Amino acid sequence: MASITIQSITKTFGTVPVLNDIDLSIADGEFVVLVGPSGCGKSTLLRMIAGLEDITAGEIRIDDRRINEVAPKDRDIAMVFQSYALYPHMTVADNMSYSLKLRKTAREKITDAIGAAAGKLGLDPLLERRPKALSGGQRQRVAMGRAIVRHPKAFLFDEPLSNLDARLREQMRAEIKRLHKSIGATSVYVTHDQIEAMTLADRIVAMHGGIIQQVGNPLDLYDRPANLFVAGFIGSPAMNFVEGHCRAGAIETDDGSKIAVPDGVHLKDGQAVTVGVRPEHVRIVAGPEAGSYAARVDLVEPTGFGTIVHVRLLGQDLKIYTLERGAAEVGQPLHIALDGARLHIFDRETTNRIG
Amino acid sequence: MQKIATRLEPWLYSAPVLILIVAIMLVPLALGVSYAFRDIRLLNPFSGAFVGFKHFRELAGDGAFRGALVNTLWWTFSSVILQFLFGLILALLLNRPFKGRALAQALCFLPWAVPSFLSGLDWAWMFNPVVGPIPHWLYALGILSEPSNILSDPETAMWGPIVANVWWGIPFFAITMLAALQAIPKDLYEAAEIDGAGPIERFRSITVPFLAPTMAISILLRTVWIANFADLIIVMTNGGPADRTQIVASYIFTQAFRRLDFGYASAIALVLLVLLLAYSMLIVVLRQTMLTRH
Ligand SMILES: Nc1ncnc2c1ncn2[C@@H]1O[C@H](COP(=O)(O)OP(=O)(O)O)[C@@H](O)[C@H]1O
Ligand SMILES: [Mg+2]
């Protein structure tokens, strides 16, 4: 097991910059998730750790050893690919033992390692099959098995669950988490799915446009997103955003409504801000009260557990997440209130969080 | 009546196709086979009679035919193996990205577009010490003791058409192998690299198994095709000197169009057909057993 240090990493493909001055330290045994929209450079960063892409500038260290020039096979890492990349002409057992054989591991040791990994992943009955004869979920397990037999210093995952259906993805997610708890190896996991990031990570690295937007534990990112991008990316249904200006100690939205400035937030008069509020922090209230708004229900989306109510308010579509069933019907007028303590205020110029 | 009509119905639907297959494929084949058992000589207006196995008895004692059989094996297998090896190497080179790859690919596939007779003439000139450079190069390299024409030396003549054939046939293998190479998922190589496989091990455990079916089928097709392919030999050596480059296919050509004995030529063709069929069956059976073993 090992720590990974990424220092001022930059990557360009030809003249196209993909990663820009990335700094990140991953502690021994930590599970770090790189999350961001497609094309933000997460796979590229992971592949640089694996040694599959050259490093344009900067340095990567595994345990204090600089690995920029070290061949992938000598970095002592294992990688799980989105496509699983299983060798189609080998059985499951051969797929898992391939790396050990190449490393001239003793035969008994290989048998033991395969037995242990197969037991952990429930692969025992499949060992003599070829990948073609396996379901997607089983292939995924084999890919994991191939990674764990080697006891590498670190695991790298590139969207390993993206090719599975929703049910299986949920199941494998829990399994990966359990596996990490039992093995405890340093892991770097790439995904575009914020739920996967939230549920798996010790620490999330949110990326966008080749830049790290925020690093922190999942609830930190949820409760105190550092900028508009993170606020909008983390959380489902997504955060509501309302634009306005600071006028006379309150935030005046573009349609003339007023939102009280939360305690401890200092705004300059005339400052352009975006107010973010999560759908679960918008309440439906019985009647008009101080700071409530009148709105009309636009759309109702029941999700089973809760209900997403869309209303027209403050000049835009605002989502409310409520656990009460039948709280609203389309066309119905109602009053809503924002949870003042849970507003997120962002500077519209810099997109950074103010409070 | 009704019953017969319903019975016939499916046959009526497939009738056009069946008739086409019979007309296009079977009739000419049957005609050709029938010639082998008849006395058909273009210069003899009274020929045409049924002669039974006379041609085949004659063939059994025909030394030139036996020589042609041996030459055919030599010609076919050395051509196929060299075409395949160079084609594979070319495909591997063209499969990696480099500047101007598109142009290089187009150039490498050019020989395929050259008519076989033209390429035969071209190579015949190149081997001719009066106009071609090759004898002088070979002399300079010490391979030849004097800059002579290898096509006129019975010991070396076969190499002339083989070289021309290899040059002409490399693109076929390069194209098929390149297509198969490009269908191999790249991340398999990456996974193997992380697993600790070097370039040779990656080639052995990923490239070869992926290419194997394509290799097998293209070598099979190519073997049958080259065994039948006499254009280059006819243009470059015409079977000579001293029948040393005479293959069965060119011998058929000689019998039919020089001696104008179509009956005898058809009998030889029939023997070649049976041999090639036997070869193909052997390969199919081999493939089947290999598939079931897995
Ligand atoms: N080999 C490559 N050559 C050129 N551009 C590439 C290459 N690989 C990735 N890119 C570009 O780099 C950017 C980041 O890619 P990637 O790291 O795969 O994104 P992500 O995994 O976050 O979806 C993308 O815009 C992609 O087009
Ligand atoms: Mg990716």
Side-chain angles (χ1 to χ4, degrees), chain A residues 11-14 16-19 35-47 53 158-159 190-192 207:
Chain A
K11 176 73 183 175
T12 52
F13 282 112
V16 186
V18 171
L19 289 173
V35 69
S38 191
C40 72
K42 7 180 236 307
S43 294
T44 304
L45 181 56
L46 191 77
R47 291 163 57 80
E53 301 283 359
D158 193 355
E159 312 231 10
V190 162
T191 180
H192 65 268
M207 294 178 61

Side-chain angles (χ1 to χ4, degrees), chain A residues 1-4 26-31 63 153 180 184-187 202:
Chain A
M1 264 159 274
S3 62
I4 301 172
I26 300 166
D28 187 12
E30 198 178 17
F31 199 114
D63 279 342
K153 281 189 172 162
H180 179 249
T186 313
S187 304
D202 292 328

Side-chain angles (χ1 to χ4, degrees), chain B residues 41-76:
Chain B
R41 280 170 293 165
L42 283 195
L43 289 184
N44 183 347
F46 304 106
S47 68
F50 181 75
V51 294
F53 286 91
K54 173 170 172 281
H55 290 148
F56 295 95
R57 278 195 297 274
E58 231 171 280
L59 254 184
D62 185 346
F65 173 68
R66 246 172 291 138
L69 267 180
V70 174
N71 288 340
T72 303
L73 287 180
W74 182 227
W75 153 256
T76 306

Side-chain angles (χ1 to χ4, degrees), chain B residues 15-223:
Chain B
V17 178
L18 289 178
I19 290 171
L20 265 179
I21 289 176
V22 169
I24 292 177
M25 301 189 59
L26 297 185
V27 168
L29 193 65
L31 264 176
V33 169
S34 80
Y35 289 162
F37 299 94
R38 291 164 61 192
D39 174 24
I40 299 187
R41 280 170 293 165
L42 283 195
L43 289 184
N44 183 347
F46 304 106
S47 68
F50 181 75
V51 294
F53 286 91
K54 173 170 172 281
H55 290 148
F56 295 95
R57 278 195 297 274
E58 231 171 280
L59 254 184
D62 185 346
F65 173 68
R66 246 172 291 138
L69 267 180
V70 174
N71 288 340
T72 303
L73 287 180
W74 182 227
W75 153 256
T76 306
F77 287 109
S78 39
S79 296
V80 170
I81 289 167
L82 291 174
Q83 280 184 3
F84 168 73
L85 280 182
F86 286 115
L88 180 62
I89 291 170
L90 187 60
L92 289 171
L93 290 177
L94 288 176
N95 191 38
R96 52 185 64 225
F98 59 89
K99 253 207 174 123
R101 179 165 90 165
L103 185 68
Q105 278 185 4
L107 282 178
C108 288
F109 298 147
L110 210 57
W112 196 236
V114 178
S116 55
F117 278 96
L118 184 58
S119 78
L121 283 175
D122 199 24
W123 279 95
W125 286 329
M126 297 231 280
F127 283 122
N128 186 331
V130 180
V131 288
I134 293 179
H136 304 282
W137 292 343
L138 292 178
Y139 173 66
L141 286 172
I143 297 170
L144 289 182
S145 53
E146 52 177 333
S148 61
N149 192 340
I150 64 164
L151 296 179
S152 46
D153 179 348
E155 291 305 313
T156 54
M158 190 54 120
W159 284 109
I162 288 177
V163 167
N165 194 12
V166 170
W167 176 82
W168 194 66
I170 286 173
F172 171 85
F173 279 105
I175 292 171
T176 42
M177 293 296 142
L178 188 59
L181 278 175
Q182 284 173 343
I184 304 176
K186 294 286 162 288
D187 50 11
L188 283 182
Y189 289 105
E190 295 178 343
E193 203 178 334
I194 292 175
D195 272 347
I200 295 173
E201 171 60 25
R202 290 199 294 269
F203 180 76
R204 195 190 66 77
S205 61
I206 300 174
T207 313
V208 171
F210 261 97
L211 291 190
T214 312
M215 287 180 187
I217 198 78
S218 56
I219 287 179
L220 165 69
L221 289 176
R222 203 64 186 155
T223 306

